[in-house]
Amino acid sequence: MAQGVLSQVLDALDLETFLICSSEDEGKEMAIRLMKTLGFQDVDLVFIQFAGPGARVRARAYIYRPGQDYAWVRNADREGKG
């Protein structure tokens, strides 16, 4: 994974897509599994709308939760920008 770029993310990364599934529950499970397959561990499902052949989902991978030690702050301090 592109750790250099991810260290510049302020808080989280959202992924939105339409998943072919047979129920809302299956769509939820698939969305979470997709984010974990991409290498993210701290994930939430922030939106789901089941309709027709599947579900529109928005999953969020937290790079930083509020109050964590932000890499982008450390980088700014190191570069004299903080």
Side-chain angles (χ1 to χ4, degrees):
M1 194 171 307
Q3 287 298 327
V5 174
L6 287 179
S7 70
Q8 298 302 112
V9 172
L10 179 63
D11 53 6
L13 180 71
D14 285 7
L15 181 139
E16 185 170 342
T17 192
F18 192 91
L19 296 172
I20 305 301
C21 56
S22 59
S23 69
E24 186 173 301
D25 285 340
E26 182 183 20
K28 287 177 185 179
E29 189 272 327
M30 290 172 69
I32 298 297
R33 189 166 17 117
L34 172 61
M35 295 301 273
K36 292 194 177 216
T37 298
L38 293 172
F40 298 108
Q41 297 305 310
D42 188 2
V43 299
D44 285 331
L45 188 65
V46 294
F47 174 82
I48 186 163
Q49 181 179 34
F50 183 76
R56 168 73 49 200
V57 297
R58 185 177 309 120
R60 180 167 294 154
Y62 290 94
I63 310 304
Y64 300 105
R65 291 275 185 166
Q68 283 186 315
D69 181 30
Y70 304 111
W72 51 268
V73 171
R74 288 193 314 274
N75 292 342
D77 288 345
R78 216 179 356 252
E79 295 170 6
K81 297 177 186 173

